[in-house]
Each structure stands twice: as structure tokens, then as C-alpha cells.
Amino acid sequence: ETKRLHVESKKYFDAIKAMLNHQIEFSKAIAEIYRPISGRVSDPDSIIPEGNPEGIRACEEYESIVRELLETLQPELEMIESRVIKPAEELLEVIKVVQKSLTKRQHKQLDYDRHRASLKKLQDKKDKTLKDEKAMYKAENDVEQSTQDFNYFNDLLKEELPKLFALEREFIRPLFQSFYYMQLNVFYTLHEKMQNIDIGYFDLTLDIEEAYNAKRGDIKEKAEALSIVKYKTTGGRRPAKYGAAGRLAIENGRAGSTRPLAIENGKADPPNRRATHDFVNNPPPPYSSGLGAADTTSLGRANSTGSAWGAAAKSKGAAPPPPKPKPARLSGAPTAPIETATALYDYEAQATGDLSFSTGDVIEVVQRGATENEWWTGKIHGKEGSFPGNYVKLN
């Protein structure tokens, strides 16, 4: 209970200081809310100034009053610490010494019981030897010594503990009285200071609820009328907003760019060759020819006319995914005889060294892998590069 007295008085001391500090921080937070969001003092074209200058001034006045109140209460708080907390700490130190005596008595009692049990065992033995007689003599001495030690601590505690309890009661009475009067002084100072606050921003003549509603006005209705506060989401997966994921598109209509932009899954960075193979389970369909004549320079391949191969590609369905990147061991010289292949789908170069072509183009195969699910090397229109083997058909 003495420890509890110390803990609770310390909590009260800290709570008073924390209450005033929280009031100061609360005032700072309100002032920050009152400041204009745009960072301007006010809009020169507006009659109503941006922000709340009167509210900011009220927060500054309130903060100044609370700081002054904290300085006024500081002597009272120091008295609580010196007249309640410190004496309680000293009483705790005395009790720790008493607890050590109690522990010592318990140890002496254990020693007494142990020696007494050893002596009784030797006494109950029928045929005693000379060694047993010596052990019994030693055990009797141990029992006598342990009895004296136990009786000393036991009598000390029996005699002095009641006196200590009586003194403790007398010690606590002035602590409680001091704490009571200092608490009254704290509350009286708080009440007097807060009652005499005269900040014009607050109308103290109105009832609390009435003043609150007057300040609030129709802000709640206006806030609820905003669409942004009614935003809700189910948390489920949403469909793509700007077209199918993975589809190549021209951004901002800049078809004349020397390097078309590709948007893959909403990312503006062009994919590398390996990423293309891992992602394009449904490869891009052929570009339509709906662009103007000025766009034919950079997108000539995408605007190819339909042919028999184009019709065959459409009837065949979506293009298969490109193969994995070709290994370095397959990058040797072209093999003989020279082969050709016809493009089944449009393919736009997606990495440096790739070969672009359109559906129906005849490509000279420089080197091909063991299967069509690998990257081949070919030539078309004087350019040589790599392309997916499953996008063409050997002639």
C-alpha cells in the first residue's frame, strides 16, 4: 500500500503537468487547422479572407494563458513532490529493510527445521556407532544455534513491527492532509484563472450546446453534400479503365514519334524481351489502319493491307506468347540453305535488336532454333534482327 501511495501521488503530479501541456498542444493543433491551406494570407480577389485570423489569435491568447497558469502552479506541484512523493519514497526504503528482516527470519526457520529433522533421525536410530554419536552431538549444537537465530529475528519482528505500523499511520496522516490542501490550491487556481479568461472569440453568454451549434452553422450539411466524402469502395478488383491490360497504344496521339510508347498493365516503360515472353499470353492484335497519312512513316508496318496470311491469322485466333530469350550459344553465323518464313501476326520490336514486321511479310530466316518457341534471326527490308519463331510459318 505504501508503494501504491507513492505511485498514485506521482501519477497525479505528472497528470497535472500533462493536462496543461496537452492544452497547449491542442491550441497549437487548432491554430494549424485555422491557417489557410494554400499558404497565402488571403485571396486579394475575395472579400472573405482565407483562413481564420480571429481563431488563430484566440489560440495564441489561450496558449499564453495556459503557459502562465503552468508557471503559477509550478510551486504547488513542487510542494506535492517534496511533501508527498519524496516522503513516500523514504517510507518505501524503510519497508525494504523490514522486508529483508522478514526474509532472514524465513531462512532461519528453514535452517531450524532442517537441523531438527537431522537430529531426530539420529536419535531414532537403534544401533548407534561412535560416528553416529559424534554426528548427533554436532546436530544438537546446530539445532541450538538455529533456534537462537530464528528466535532473534522472530522476536524482533514481533516486538517492533506493531510499533512500525503505528508510526506509519502517523506518518501517512500529514501526507494525506498536505495532499488534500495542495489539491485544493491546484483546483482553485485552475478555476480562478480559467473563469477570468476573456477571449473575444468565445461567447460565454450562451449555453455550451447552443454556442456549439451557432459556431457550426450548416457546415455538416455542406460537407455531406460533397461527393468526395461519399466515396466508397468494395475492395474488389476493378476492370481496366483505359482499355485492356497489355495492349499497345499510342500515348497522347503522338504517332509521328520515332519510338512508339507501349503501355503494359498501366506502366509507361517499354518491356524488355523476357518480360514480353512472360506476360503476353494474349499478344497484341494487328494495328488498324485508321491513322492519317502523316502517320504512315513511323507506323507503316502496323498499317499493312489485308492479305491471305492476314485472313489466316484472324481465323487462327490470338497469337501465341513469344519464346524465352535466345541463349548465347545460338547467336552464330547463318546456316545454309537459306529459308524464308511468312509472318502470321504483326510484331513490333520491343527491345534493341528485334525485327519488326507485319502480317504477310516474307522474312529471310538467317538462323532459327530447334523449335518455334524460341527466338529466331531473320532479315527483311535490309534489316536483320531477332523475332519470335511462333509468329511466323516456314515456307
Side-chain angles (χ1 to χ4, degrees), residues 230-382:
K230 300 178 182 178
Y231 175 76
K232 295 182 179 180
T233 178
T234 59
R237 186 175 180 179
R238 297 181 181 182
K241 187 176 181 181
Y242 300 107
R247 173 168 295 181
L248 300 178
I250 303 302
E251 185 181 13
N252 294 332
R254 293 180 293 180
S257 173
T258 57
R259 185 177 181 182
L261 299 177
I263 298 179
E264 183 180 16
N265 281 340
K267 299 179 181 179
D269 295 334
N272 55 27
R273 183 182 304 167
R274 184 176 298 274
T276 302
H277 171 69
D278 294 337
F279 175 77
V280 188
N281 294 325
N282 295 318
Y287 289 119
S288 64
S289 57
L291 300 176
D295 301 330
T296 57
T297 303
S298 60
L299 301 177
R301 297 184 183 275
N303 297 332
S304 60
T305 57
S307 62
W309 288 107
K314 292 180 180 179
S315 62
K316 192 175 180 180
K324 296 181 178 180
K326 58 184 178 180
R329 59 185 179 84
L330 298 179
S331 59
T335 58
I338 296 176
E339 296 178 305
T340 60
T342 303
L344 298 175
Y345 311 97
D346 291 344
Y347 179 73
E348 190 73 20
Q350 299 181 14
T352 304
D354 285 1
L355 185 67
S356 300
F357 51 79
S358 301
T359 304
D361 287 351
V362 178
I363 306 166
E364 178 184 346
V365 179
V366 177
Q367 182 180 0
R368 62 184 177 91
T371 65
E372 64 178 6
N373 294 321
E374 295 182 7
W375 288 86
W376 295 6
T377 304
K379 291 182 180 179
I380 186 172
H381 303 305

Side-chain angles (χ1 to χ4, degrees), residues 203-214:
D203 186 3
L204 302 180
T205 61
L206 299 177
D207 182 69
I208 295 178
E209 185 176 356
E210 184 181 357
Y212 170 78
N213 292 327

Side-chain angles (χ1 to χ4, degrees), residues 63-126:
E63 181 181 346
S64 176
I65 292 172
V66 175
R67 289 189 183 278
E68 183 181 348
L69 180 59
L70 183 59
E71 294 178 359
T72 305
L73 290 176
Q74 190 63 30
E76 297 292 338
L77 298 177
E78 291 176 355
M79 288 180 63
I80 292 177
E81 185 174 13
S82 61
R83 296 186 182 183
V84 178
I85 299 176
K86 290 294 183 182
E89 288 180 355
E90 295 173 358
L91 182 58
L92 279 177
E93 295 299 325
V94 173
I95 291 177
K96 286 180 181 179
V97 176
V98 176
Q99 287 176 342
K100 288 182 180 180
S101 299
L102 288 169
T103 304
K104 196 73 173 177
R105 188 193 68 166
Q106 291 176 355
H107 292 168
K108 293 303 179 182
Q109 184 177 8
L110 291 175
D111 292 340
Y112 170 76
D113 294 339
R114 179 168 54 85
H115 293 311
R116 187 179 178 183
S118 299
L119 178 60
K120 188 176 184 305
K121 183 178 179 181
L122 291 172
Q123 289 175 345
D124 293 342
K125 193 174 183 180
K126 293 181 180 181

